[in-house]
Amino acid sequence: MTYVFQQLLNALQVGSIYALIALGYTMVYGILTMINFAHGDLFMVGAFFCFFAAIFLNLPFVPVLVISMVGVALLGVVIERCAYKPLRQAPRVSAIITALGVGLFLENFTLALNPYPKQVPQLLANTTWIFHGVSISSIALFIVILSLLLMLMLDLIVRRTMVGMAMRAISWDKAVVPLLGVPVDLIISLTFAIGTSLGGAAGVMYGLAYPVIDPYMGIMVGWKAFISAVVGGIGNIRGAMIGGYILGALEILVVAVMPSTYRDFVAFVLLLILLIFRPYGILGKPHPQKV
Amino acid sequence: MKKIFFPLTVCMAMVLLLTGCSSDDASSIRVGVIAELTGDMPAVGESCKKAAEMAVQQVNDAGGIEIAGKKYPLKLFIEDNAGKADQSASAAQKLITQEKVHAVIGPNATRYALPASEIAESSKVVLITPWSTSPKTTLDAKTNAPKKYVFRACFIDPFQGRVVAKFAMDTLKAKKAAVLYDVASEYNKGIAEIFRETFEKNGGAIVAFETYTTNDKDFSGQLTKIKKAAPDMIFLPNYYSEVPLQIQQAKRLGIAVPFVGSDSWGSQELLKLCGKDCEGYYFSTHYAADAATPVATKFIEGFKAKYANLPDDVAALTYDSFGLLFQALKSCGTLDRGAIRDALAKIPLYEGVTGNMQFKDGSGDPTKSAVIVKIKDGKFVYFASAAP
């Protein structure tokens, strides 16, 4: 029983990070119907911002988190303005290729700065409590709580504010909303800023939990977060959160009951089966193509 | 777009022509190095590059290598494989066909050395890998006979796996062992399997044999499983950039048994990334800087004077790879690629930084010994040695 509980805790930690990153994919898709494949690398940049802020500016955790989130958000907006906006009317494939290119650029730019894996300093005291045989580390607990808080905030922004309403309106109908006086470009930039800043926050937390960071760390995590977003129903914010936790749980639980070599294979077969029965994802709704 | 296409083609053609011309002179010995300068193990590539430059500089300062009465200076060509298997192969191709090197040193990690060794073998150019310990590197995949042109300066995994298993049983008195390794990497997988085989043959039990894939950062699922199996020790035959994460996460889960590693731990980067978490653990490796022979001391002093830090095992092995090549060049008396290979295969005794080596029976694997190193006060300290 303690074993199962320990594995569930592990799953919660992994799932929280997937969920936070998945939100970035799903928000951009929701508003632009485009997949921002550079998002995983923005997450990596977040971890590096955290490293630089902690080492060179010697800041404690909260300013480090703020710097990383704001830094990545600005970078996200710049990328949107320079790389994606000129292609908004171009075929969808061009935008996706551009996103892949931006991702490669970010990886290799970071690589050119310094190829060595970096150790993120311990920004938070790390204590481990043993509770009925289950080890709970303060960092794992902190990651889960902070992720849930950030997701709650996002949910409030999207559902309760004018900006959120504008976002939902644009994702509903891009043709009519500008006619109503909604500043589409500004809202798209804001969406990018919010989505990527969550990725930046995930990068910081990832750096706390797995303190060795390198320029390629965003690739695999990015893919898995993207899959989480699709499983949850891409474009749906709550779906992305659920998808992240589902993928985290699957990965950990497959390891818990089967040889760990089967992890990705079994986890992704299960996700494929899920998509066969619910091709639009768990919370996604089918959009009939307008002819 | 069309307008710039033509000038661009002309430019590229000229570049090709120019490089084609410049690389054809017979007045020097041309040695290529393929190193992991970027990618997931840049510390390895950096050490390799430093040792290579040092070895070449020492020879050139002495006027070069004398072959058939004439002294030839060395010319070094360093290629980055970016920590990728395909780039390792293309780097080998480039060095051999474009730079027309007489021999190639590197790549270091097995997963990069394998593809490069295939190119060297088919082009009939000597390749010495300093650090690739997998038996497959020097064996032909189809016939299982030794490759003719591929050599190494290190021992092989079966030997290392046996050394670690014996050490765990005899010194650590372990009866139950757990292993966590990267199943997607040739090196980690090979050594983990030999460890299991030897440990079980000698009456021990492997209570957990867990895997992950390259670039994973979360090992909590596997480690929780290992914790449940309650081993006496945990074997982590993984690269230095991953080991700190594994040990830190294990400690966070309340695992308190000793960890043992293999030669992939032997980078000063491990100490930086690990901090205090790796204190008191052991790994098997090629040499220990603090228990050195006169040859090794000379190398360590030279390296420290040039680069102001201690050479790790990759640096020592790269230096030995060059040493082996120099000895072969001196004895073969010609710059023919085939003759260099024959001289290398017949080296009766080479006194290297990492111990004495010899090549026997046409095999590219030297006969040599290993050492066990302990991490103590943030340093690698000699603990014991194991004969071949």
Coordinates of all heavy atoms in Angstrom, one line a residue, chain B residues 68-139:
Chain B
A68 N 61.7 6.5 -41.4 CA 62.7 6.2 -42.4 C 63.7 7.4 -42.5 O 64.0 7.9 -43.6 CB 62.0 5.9 -43.7
G69 N 64.3 7.8 -41.4 CA 65.3 8.8 -41.4 C 64.9 10.3 -41.6 O 65.7 11.2 -41.6
K70 N 63.6 10.5 -41.8 CA 63.1 11.9 -42.0 C 62.1 12.2 -40.9 O 61.2 11.4 -40.6 CB 62.5 11.9 -43.4 CG 62.2 13.4 -43.8 CD 61.5 13.4 -45.2 CE 60.9 14.8 -45.3 NZ 59.6 14.9 -46.0
K71 N 62.2 13.4 -40.4 CA 61.2 13.8 -39.3 C 60.0 14.5 -39.9 O 60.1 15.4 -40.7 CB 61.9 14.8 -38.4 CG 62.9 14.1 -37.4 CD 63.0 14.8 -36.1 CE 63.6 13.9 -35.0 NZ 63.6 14.5 -33.7
Y72 N 58.9 14.0 -39.5 CA 57.6 14.5 -40.0 C 56.9 15.2 -38.9 O 56.7 14.6 -37.8 CB 56.7 13.4 -40.5 CG 57.1 12.7 -41.8 CD1 58.1 11.7 -41.8 CD2 56.6 13.1 -43.0 CE1 58.5 11.1 -42.9 CE2 57.0 12.5 -44.2 CZ 58.0 11.5 -44.2 OH 58.4 10.9 -45.3
P73 N 56.4 16.4 -39.1 CA 55.6 17.1 -38.0 C 54.2 16.5 -38.1 O 53.8 15.9 -39.1 CB 55.6 18.5 -38.4 CG 55.9 18.6 -39.8 CD 56.7 17.3 -40.2
L74 N 53.4 16.7 -37.0 CA 52.1 16.2 -36.9 C 51.1 17.3 -37.3 O 51.3 18.4 -36.9 CB 51.7 15.6 -35.6 CG 52.3 14.3 -35.2 CD1 52.2 14.1 -33.7 CD2 51.7 13.2 -35.9
K75 N 50.0 16.9 -37.9 CA 49.0 17.9 -38.2 C 47.7 17.3 -37.6 O 47.3 16.2 -37.9 CB 48.8 18.1 -39.7 CG 48.6 19.6 -40.0 CD 48.8 19.8 -41.5 CE 48.2 21.1 -41.9 NZ 48.2 21.2 -43.4
L76 N 47.0 18.1 -36.8 CA 45.8 17.6 -36.1 C 44.5 18.2 -36.7 O 44.5 19.4 -37.0 CB 45.9 18.1 -34.6 CG 45.0 17.4 -33.6 CD1 45.2 15.9 -33.6 CD2 45.2 18.0 -32.2
F77 N 43.5 17.3 -36.9 CA 42.2 17.8 -37.4 C 41.2 17.4 -36.4 O 41.0 16.2 -36.2 CB 41.9 17.2 -38.8 CG 42.9 17.5 -39.8 CD1 44.1 16.8 -40.0 CD2 42.7 18.6 -40.6 CE1 45.0 17.1 -41.0 CE2 43.6 19.0 -41.6 CZ 44.8 18.2 -41.8
I78 N 40.5 18.4 -35.8 CA 39.5 18.0 -34.8 C 38.1 18.2 -35.3 O 37.8 19.3 -35.8 CB 39.8 18.8 -33.5 CG1 41.2 18.5 -32.9 CG2 38.7 18.5 -32.4 CD1 41.5 19.2 -31.7
E79 N 37.3 17.2 -35.2 CA 35.9 17.3 -35.7 C 35.0 17.1 -34.5 O 35.2 16.2 -33.6 CB 35.6 16.2 -36.7 CG 36.2 16.5 -38.1 CD 35.5 17.7 -38.8 OE1 34.2 17.7 -38.7 OE2 36.2 18.5 -39.4
D80 N 33.9 17.8 -34.4 CA 32.9 17.7 -33.4 C 31.8 16.7 -33.9 O 31.3 16.9 -35.0 CB 32.3 19.1 -33.1 CG 31.2 19.0 -32.0 OD1 31.1 17.9 -31.3 OD2 30.3 19.9 -32.0
N81 N 31.4 15.7 -33.1 CA 30.3 14.9 -33.6 C 29.0 15.3 -32.9 O 28.0 14.6 -33.2 CB 30.6 13.4 -33.3 CG 30.6 13.1 -31.8 OD1 30.3 13.9 -31.0 ND2 31.0 11.9 -31.5
A82 N 29.0 16.4 -32.2 CA 27.7 16.9 -31.6 C 27.0 15.9 -30.7 O 25.8 16.1 -30.5 CB 26.8 17.5 -32.7
G83 N 27.6 14.9 -30.3 CA 26.9 13.9 -29.5 C 25.9 13.2 -30.3 O 24.8 12.9 -29.8
K84 N 26.2 12.9 -31.6 CA 25.2 12.2 -32.4 C 25.9 11.1 -33.2 O 27.0 11.3 -33.7 CB 24.6 13.2 -33.4 CG 23.6 14.1 -32.8 CD 23.0 15.1 -33.7 CE 22.1 16.1 -33.0 NZ 22.3 17.4 -33.5
A85 N 25.2 10.0 -33.4 CA 25.8 8.8 -34.0 C 26.0 9.1 -35.5 O 27.1 8.8 -36.1 CB 24.9 7.6 -33.9
D86 N 25.0 9.8 -36.2 CA 25.2 10.1 -37.6 C 26.3 11.0 -37.9 O 27.1 10.9 -38.9 CB 23.9 10.5 -38.2 CG 23.3 11.7 -37.5 OD1 23.7 12.0 -36.3 OD2 22.5 12.5 -38.1
Q87 N 26.4 12.0 -37.0 CA 27.5 13.0 -37.2 C 28.9 12.4 -37.0 O 29.9 12.9 -37.5 CB 27.3 14.2 -36.4 CG 26.2 15.1 -36.9 CD 26.4 16.6 -36.4 OE1 27.4 17.1 -36.2 NE2 25.2 17.2 -36.2
S88 N 28.9 11.3 -36.1 CA 30.2 10.7 -35.9 C 30.6 10.0 -37.2 O 31.8 10.1 -37.6 CB 30.1 9.6 -34.8 OG 29.6 10.2 -33.6
A89 N 29.7 9.4 -37.9 CA 30.0 8.7 -39.1 C 30.4 9.7 -40.2 O 31.4 9.5 -40.9 CB 28.8 7.9 -39.6
S90 N 29.7 10.8 -40.3 CA 30.1 11.8 -41.3 C 31.4 12.5 -41.0 O 32.1 12.8 -41.9 CB 28.9 12.8 -41.5 OG 28.6 13.4 -40.4
A91 N 31.7 12.7 -39.7 CA 33.0 13.2 -39.3 C 34.1 12.3 -39.7 O 35.1 12.8 -40.3 CB 33.0 13.5 -37.8
A92 N 33.9 11.0 -39.5 CA 34.9 10.0 -39.9 C 35.1 10.1 -41.4 O 36.3 10.1 -41.9 CB 34.5 8.6 -39.5
Q93 N 34.0 10.1 -42.1 CA 34.1 10.2 -43.6 C 34.9 11.4 -44.1 O 35.7 11.3 -44.9 CB 32.6 10.3 -44.1 CG 32.5 9.9 -45.6 CD 32.3 8.5 -45.8 OE1 31.5 7.8 -45.2 NE2 33.2 7.9 -46.6
K94 N 34.5 12.6 -43.4 CA 35.2 13.8 -43.8 C 36.7 13.7 -43.6 O 37.5 14.1 -44.4 CB 34.6 15.0 -43.0 CG 35.2 16.3 -43.4 CD 34.5 17.4 -42.6 CE 35.4 18.7 -42.8 NZ 35.1 19.7 -41.8
L95 N 37.1 13.2 -42.4 CA 38.5 13.2 -42.0 C 39.2 12.3 -43.0 O 40.3 12.6 -43.4 CB 38.7 12.7 -40.6 CG 38.3 13.7 -39.5 CD1 38.3 13.0 -38.1 CD2 39.3 14.8 -39.5
I96 N 38.6 11.2 -43.4 CA 39.3 10.2 -44.2 C 39.4 10.6 -45.6 O 40.4 10.5 -46.3 CB 38.6 8.8 -44.0 CG1 38.9 8.3 -42.6 CG2 39.2 7.8 -45.0 CD1 38.1 7.1 -42.2
T97 N 38.3 11.0 -46.2 CA 38.3 11.3 -47.6 C 38.8 12.7 -47.9 O 39.5 13.0 -48.9 CB 36.9 11.1 -48.2 OG1 36.0 11.9 -47.5 CG2 36.5 9.7 -48.2
Q98 N 38.3 13.7 -47.1 CA 38.6 15.1 -47.4 C 40.0 15.5 -46.8 O 40.8 16.1 -47.5 CB 37.5 16.0 -46.9 CG 37.5 17.4 -47.5 CD 36.3 18.1 -47.0 OE1 35.2 17.5 -46.9 NE2 36.4 19.4 -46.7
E99 N 40.2 15.2 -45.6 CA 41.5 15.7 -44.9 C 42.6 14.6 -45.2 O 43.7 14.8 -44.8 CB 41.3 15.9 -43.4 CG 40.1 16.8 -43.0 CD 40.2 18.2 -43.4 OE1 41.2 18.5 -44.1 OE2 39.3 19.0 -43.1
K100 N 42.2 13.5 -45.6 CA 43.2 12.4 -46.0 C 44.1 12.1 -44.8 O 45.3 12.1 -44.9 CB 44.0 12.8 -47.2 CG 43.1 13.0 -48.4 CD 43.9 12.9 -49.7 CE 43.0 12.9 -50.9 NZ 42.0 13.9 -51.0
V101 N 43.5 11.8 -43.6 CA 44.3 11.6 -42.4 C 44.9 10.2 -42.5 O 44.4 9.3 -43.2 CB 43.5 11.7 -41.1 CG1 43.0 13.1 -40.9 CG2 42.3 10.7 -41.1
H102 N 46.0 10.0 -41.7 CA 46.7 8.7 -41.7 C 46.0 7.8 -40.6 O 46.1 6.6 -40.6 CB 48.2 8.9 -41.4 CG 48.9 9.6 -42.5 ND1 49.3 10.9 -42.5 CD2 49.2 9.1 -43.8 CE1 49.8 11.3 -43.6 NE2 49.8 10.2 -44.4
A103 N 45.4 8.5 -39.6 CA 44.8 7.7 -38.5 C 43.7 8.6 -37.9 O 43.8 9.8 -37.9 CB 45.8 7.2 -37.5
V104 N 42.7 7.9 -37.3 CA 41.7 8.7 -36.6 C 41.7 8.3 -35.1 O 41.8 7.1 -34.8 CB 40.3 8.4 -37.2 CG1 39.2 9.1 -36.4 CG2 40.2 8.7 -38.6
I105 N 41.6 9.3 -34.2 CA 41.5 9.0 -32.8 C 40.0 9.4 -32.4 O 39.6 10.5 -32.7 CB 42.5 9.8 -31.9 CG1 43.9 9.6 -32.5 CG2 42.4 9.4 -30.5 CD1 44.6 8.4 -32.1
G106 N 39.3 8.5 -31.7 CA 38.0 8.9 -31.3 C 36.9 8.2 -32.2 O 37.3 7.5 -33.1
P107 N 35.7 8.4 -32.0 CA 35.0 9.1 -30.8 C 35.1 8.3 -29.5 O 35.6 7.2 -29.6 CB 33.5 9.2 -31.3 CG 33.5 8.8 -32.7 CD 34.7 7.9 -33.0
N108 N 34.7 8.9 -28.5 CA 34.9 8.2 -27.2 C 33.8 7.3 -26.7 O 34.1 6.2 -26.3 CB 35.2 9.3 -26.1 CG 36.5 10.1 -26.4 OD1 37.5 9.5 -26.2 ND2 36.3 11.3 -26.8
A109 N 32.6 7.8 -26.7 CA 31.5 7.0 -26.2 C 31.2 5.9 -27.2 O 31.2 6.1 -28.5 CB 30.3 7.8 -25.9
T110 N 30.8 4.7 -26.8 CA 30.5 3.6 -27.7 C 29.5 3.9 -28.7 O 29.6 3.6 -29.9 CB 30.1 2.4 -26.8 OG1 31.2 2.0 -26.0 CG2 29.7 1.2 -27.7
R111 N 28.4 4.6 -28.3 CA 27.3 4.8 -29.3 C 27.8 5.7 -30.4 O 27.2 5.7 -31.5 CB 26.0 5.3 -28.6 CG 26.1 6.6 -27.9 CD 24.7 7.0 -27.4 NE 24.7 8.2 -26.6 CZ 24.6 8.3 -25.3 NH1 24.4 7.2 -24.6 NH2 24.6 9.4 -24.7
Y112 N 28.9 6.4 -30.3 CA 29.4 7.2 -31.4 C 30.6 6.5 -32.0 O 30.9 6.7 -33.2 CB 29.8 8.6 -30.9 CG 28.8 9.3 -30.0 CD1 29.1 9.9 -28.8 CD2 27.4 9.2 -30.4 CE1 28.2 10.5 -28.0 CE2 26.5 9.8 -29.6 CZ 26.9 10.4 -28.4 OH 25.9 11.0 -27.6
A113 N 31.3 5.7 -31.3 CA 32.5 5.1 -31.8 C 32.1 4.0 -32.8 O 32.8 3.7 -33.8 CB 33.3 4.5 -30.7
L114 N 30.9 3.3 -32.5 CA 30.5 2.2 -33.4 C 30.3 2.7 -34.8 O 30.9 2.1 -35.7 CB 29.2 1.6 -32.8 CG 29.3 0.4 -31.9 CD1 28.0 0.0 -31.4 CD2 30.0 -0.7 -32.7
P115 N 29.5 3.7 -35.1 CA 29.3 4.1 -36.5 C 30.6 4.6 -37.1 O 30.9 4.3 -38.3 CB 28.3 5.2 -36.4 CG 28.2 5.6 -35.0 CD 28.6 4.5 -34.2
A116 N 31.4 5.3 -36.4 CA 32.7 5.8 -36.9 C 33.6 4.7 -37.3 O 34.3 4.7 -38.3 CB 33.3 6.8 -36.0
S117 N 33.6 3.6 -36.4 CA 34.5 2.5 -36.6 C 34.2 1.8 -37.9 O 35.0 1.2 -38.6 CB 34.5 1.5 -35.4 OG 33.3 0.8 -35.4
E118 N 32.9 1.7 -38.2 CA 32.5 1.0 -39.5 C 33.1 1.8 -40.7 O 33.5 1.1 -41.7 CB 30.9 1.0 -39.6 CG 30.2 0.2 -38.6 CD 30.5 -1.2 -38.6 OE1 30.9 -1.7 -39.7 OE2 30.4 -1.9 -37.6
I119 N 33.0 3.1 -40.7 CA 33.6 3.9 -41.8 C 35.1 3.7 -41.9 O 35.6 3.4 -43.0 CB 33.3 5.4 -41.5 CG1 31.8 5.7 -41.3 CG2 33.9 6.2 -42.6 CD1 31.0 5.7 -42.6
A120 N 35.8 3.7 -40.7 CA 37.2 3.5 -40.7 C 37.6 2.1 -41.3 O 38.5 2.0 -42.1 CB 37.8 3.7 -39.3
E121 N 36.8 1.1 -40.8 CA 37.1 -0.2 -41.2 C 37.0 -0.4 -42.8 O 37.8 -0.9 -43.4 CB 36.2 -1.2 -40.5 CG 36.3 -2.7 -40.9 CD 37.6 -3.3 -40.3 OE1 38.3 -2.6 -39.5 OE2 37.9 -4.4 -40.6
S122 N 35.9 0.2 -43.3 CA 35.7 0.0 -44.7 C 36.6 0.9 -45.5 O 36.9 0.6 -46.7 CB 34.2 0.3 -45.1 OG 33.9 1.6 -44.7
S123 N 37.1 2.0 -45.0 CA 38.1 2.8 -45.7 C 39.5 2.4 -45.4 O 40.4 3.0 -45.9 CB 37.9 4.3 -45.3 OG 36.6 4.6 -45.0
K124 N 39.7 1.3 -44.6 CA 41.0 0.8 -44.3 C 41.9 1.9 -43.7 O 43.0 2.2 -44.2 CB 41.7 0.2 -45.5 CG 40.9 -1.0 -46.1 CD 41.8 -1.8 -47.0 CE 41.2 -3.1 -47.5 NZ 39.8 -3.4 -47.3
V125 N 41.4 2.6 -42.7 CA 42.2 3.6 -42.0 C 42.1 3.2 -40.5 O 41.1 2.9 -40.0 CB 41.6 5.0 -42.2 CG1 42.3 6.0 -41.3 CG2 41.7 5.4 -43.6
V126 N 43.3 3.3 -39.8 CA 43.3 3.0 -38.4 C 42.4 4.0 -37.6 O 42.5 5.2 -37.8 CB 44.8 3.0 -37.9 CG1 44.8 3.1 -36.4 CG2 45.5 1.8 -38.4
L127 N 41.6 3.4 -36.7 CA 40.8 4.2 -35.8 C 41.1 3.7 -34.4 O 41.0 2.5 -34.1 CB 39.3 4.2 -36.1 CG 38.4 5.0 -35.2 CD1 37.3 5.7 -36.0 CD2 37.8 4.2 -34.1
I128 N 41.6 4.6 -33.5 CA 41.8 4.2 -32.1 C 40.8 5.0 -31.3 O 40.8 6.2 -31.2 CB 43.2 4.5 -31.6 CG1 44.2 4.0 -32.6 CG2 43.4 3.9 -30.2 CD1 45.7 4.3 -32.2
T129 N 39.8 4.2 -30.6 CA 38.9 4.9 -29.7 C 39.5 4.9 -28.3 O 39.9 3.8 -27.8 CB 37.5 4.4 -29.8 OG1 36.8 4.9 -28.7 CG2 37.5 2.9 -29.7
P130 N 39.6 6.1 -27.7 CA 40.2 6.1 -26.3 C 39.3 5.4 -25.3 O 39.8 4.7 -24.4 CB 40.4 7.6 -26.0 CG 40.3 8.3 -27.3 CD 39.4 7.4 -28.2
W131 N 38.0 5.6 -25.4 CA 37.2 5.4 -24.2 C 36.0 4.4 -24.4 O 35.3 4.1 -23.5 CB 36.6 6.7 -23.8 CG 36.1 6.9 -22.5 CD1 36.7 6.7 -21.3 CD2 34.8 7.5 -22.1 NE1 35.9 7.0 -20.2 CE2 34.7 7.6 -20.7 CE3 33.7 8.0 -22.8 CZ2 33.6 8.1 -20.0 CZ3 32.6 8.5 -22.2 CH2 32.6 8.5 -20.8
S132 N 35.8 3.9 -25.7 CA 34.7 3.0 -25.9 C 35.0 1.6 -25.4 O 35.9 1.0 -25.9 CB 34.4 3.0 -27.4 OG 33.6 1.9 -27.7
T133 N 34.2 1.2 -24.4 CA 34.6 -0.1 -23.7 C 33.7 -1.2 -24.2 O 33.9 -2.3 -23.7 CB 34.4 0.1 -22.2 OG1 33.2 0.7 -21.9 CG2 35.6 0.9 -21.7
S134 N 32.7 -1.0 -25.1 CA 31.9 -2.1 -25.6 C 32.7 -3.1 -26.5 O 33.4 -2.6 -27.4 CB 30.7 -1.6 -26.3 OG 30.1 -2.6 -27.1
P135 N 32.5 -4.4 -26.3 CA 33.3 -5.3 -27.1 C 32.9 -5.1 -28.6 O 33.8 -5.4 -29.5 CB 32.8 -6.7 -26.6 CG 32.0 -6.5 -25.4 CD 31.7 -5.0 -25.2
K136 N 31.7 -4.7 -28.9 CA 31.2 -4.6 -30.3 C 32.1 -3.6 -31.1 O 32.1 -3.7 -32.3 CB 29.8 -4.1 -30.3 CG 28.8 -5.2 -29.9 CD 27.4 -4.7 -30.1 CE 26.4 -5.7 -29.4 NZ 25.1 -5.1 -29.1
T137 N 32.7 -2.6 -30.4 CA 33.4 -1.6 -31.2 C 34.5 -2.2 -32.1 O 34.7 -1.7 -33.2 CB 34.0 -0.5 -30.2 OG1 33.0 -0.2 -29.3 CG2 34.4 0.7 -31.0
T138 N 35.2 -3.2 -31.5 CA 36.3 -3.7 -32.3 C 35.9 -5.0 -33.0 O 36.8 -5.6 -33.6 CB 37.5 -4.0 -31.4 OG1 37.1 -4.8 -30.3 CG2 38.1 -2.7 -30.9
L139 N 34.7 -5.4 -32.9 CA 34.3 -6.7 -33.6 C 33.4 -6.5 -34.8 O 32.6 -5.6 -34.8 CB 33.5 -7.6 -32.6 CG 34.4 -8.2 -31.4 CD1 33.5 -9.0 -30.5 CD2 35.6 -8.9 -31.9

